[in-house]
Amino acid sequence: MNYNYHTHTPLCAHASGTPEEYIINAIENGMEYMGFSDHMPFICANKNQSGYRVPYDKGKLYCDEIKKLALKYKDKIDIKVGFEMEYYPENFKEMLKNARDFGAEYLILGEHFICDESVNGHYSSKDTEDIDLFKTYVDNICQGIKTGVYTYIAHPDMFNFVGDKEIYREQMRRICKVSKEYDIPLEINFLGIRTNRIYPNRKFLEVAAEEQSPIVFGLDAHSTEDSYDGESLKKAMDIVNELGLNYIGRPKIISIK
Ligand SMILES: [Zn+2]
Ligand SMILES: [Zn+2]
């Protein structure tokens, strides 16, 4: 594995280490392609900003800083700057415009919430039997894929639907089918492997294998040591081989410039 397009920075307030430290560690471990994809700045309808995002007024600074580093290390590693961004139907156009204005080069889709990020909102990893919420999550990701601007889908299996297993498979199959049809990869998320989260979800990946959706890896690095992760790589390759997943290697970057 010589690529990773899922990297955070301390600007999102839940990561440690400097971007330059991440880059040096990645180079030392043989990485050749690296992308920063911190959480997209976003001001909600209630004028609040979620605490897990890069602050709105730091969006441009973040892109500028990574571009400077990309130049500094260009002979050793190819570095791109982008964002991990939800697909919220109502806000998509504005968010895409802002991402471009900040200077982002690419996007990955991470649907952490279902539109509403207030205390009343639903965090995708929180367990629920609510079918409507689950369908909205799936709808958003499918629509997001169809916009053609997202390079890949980060942790598509982060939604924690604990209801009927057949409904789970049926809904997740919609994501897998659209991913295959539009050739937009789904990520096996190494943060999930490292920290034993509910993703990667085997039931999800079984459906992805049946549909032969394109699969990529993402480190979801939140600290310097995470900018390479050989241990999770072994586990991820085991899952790929065991389930017969369509692992494609380095994703093709969709430029939003
Ligand atoms: Zn994420
Ligand atoms: Zn992430």
Side-chain angles (χ1 to χ4, degrees):
M1 183 183 185
N2 65 348
Y3 71 91
N4 170 42
Y5 290 103
H6 195 161
T7 315
H8 292 272
T9 76
L11 282 173
C12 68
H14 60 273
S16 61
T18 66
E20 186 156 20
E21 287 166 0
Y22 289 27
I23 292 166
I24 292 167
N25 185 53
I27 293 169
E28 282 173 1
N29 283 284
M31 297 296 251
E32 294 173 86
Y33 303 92
M34 181 173 190
F36 284 83
S37 53
D38 213 345
H39 295 286
M40 173 69 193
F42 176 56
I43 299 173
C44 305
N46 62 6
K47 304 279 181 232
N48 284 338
Q49 295 189 56
S50 290
Y52 72 97
R53 297 178 177 280
V54 173
Y56 192 85
D57 61 359
K58 298 272 182 354
K60 193 170 180 315
L61 177 110
Y62 156 78
C63 290
D64 288 348
E65 189 189 347
I66 303 300
K67 283 179 185 174
K68 245 185 252 161
L69 290 167
L71 214 57
K72 182 172 173 183
Y73 289 95
K74 71 174 175 21
D75 296 331
K76 295 198 166 113
I77 191 165
D78 181 76
I79 298 172
K80 298 230 171 330
V81 64
F83 288 107
E84 180 175 15
M85 186 174 110
E86 288 71 6
Y87 177 80
Y88 296 158
E90 308 270 289
N91 311 99
F92 172 70
K93 269 195 181 150
E94 185 199 341
M95 289 175 89
L96 177 61
K97 181 185 183 300
N98 289 343
R100 285 181 170 138
D101 289 349
F102 290 141
E105 299 168 307
Y106 77 102
L107 297 170
I108 59 175
L109 199 172
E111 193 75 352
H112 306 91
F113 284 87
I114 319 299
C115 305
D116 179 3
E117 297 180 8
S118 74
V119 283
N120 306 314
H122 179 81
Y123 180 60
S124 299
S125 274
K126 192 175 177 303
D127 57 309
T128 181
E129 290 186 37
D130 188 324
I131 296 172
D132 288 337
L133 264 181
F134 185 28
K135 279 188 179 160
T136 307
Y137 171 88
V138 172
D139 285 346
N140 285 0
I141 291 185
C142 290
Q143 283 177 42
I145 291 173
K146 290 177 183 177
T147 64
V149 304
Y150 292 99
T151 287
Y152 75 67
I153 312 305
H155 45 63
D157 42 359
M158 94 174 280
F159 196 93
N160 194 7
F161 180 73
V162 293
D164 187 277
K165 289 190 176 60
E166 270 317 302
I167 294 176
Y168 180 86
R169 286 171 55 82
E170 186 187 296
Q171 289 301 317
M172 288 307 204
R173 190 177 301 281
R174 290 169 54 211
I175 293 178
C176 296
K177 276 192 185 294
V178 178
S179 149
K180 173 77 180 166
E181 188 188 341
Y182 286 78
D183 199 21
I184 301 295
L186 307 173
E187 177 198 67
I188 292 187
N189 184 279
F190 285 19
L191 173 65
I193 297 177
R194 280 194 299 277
T195 60
N196 274 316
R197 298 192 173 197
I198 60 143
Y199 52 87
N201 184 314
R202 208 182 161 82
K203 290 199 178 60
F204 175 87
L205 292 172
E206 281 168 7
V207 178
E210 284 162 18
E211 297 300 331
Q212 285 297 290
S213 317
I215 299 287
V216 297
F217 296 156
L219 295 179
D220 206 350
H222 284 77
S223 72
T224 307
E225 321 74 91
D226 297 349
S227 65
Y228 184 76
D229 183 354
E231 230 168 277
S232 298
L233 175 60
K234 267 189 229 113
K235 291 179 186 165
M237 276 321 294
D238 284 349
I239 303 173
V240 164
N241 293 327
E242 204 184 313
L243 299 181
L245 285 159
N246 176 21
Y247 174 64
I248 61 163
R250 184 164 73 94
K252 186 175 89 246
I253 294 294
I254 296 175
S255 169
I256 63 157
K257 280 195 274 188

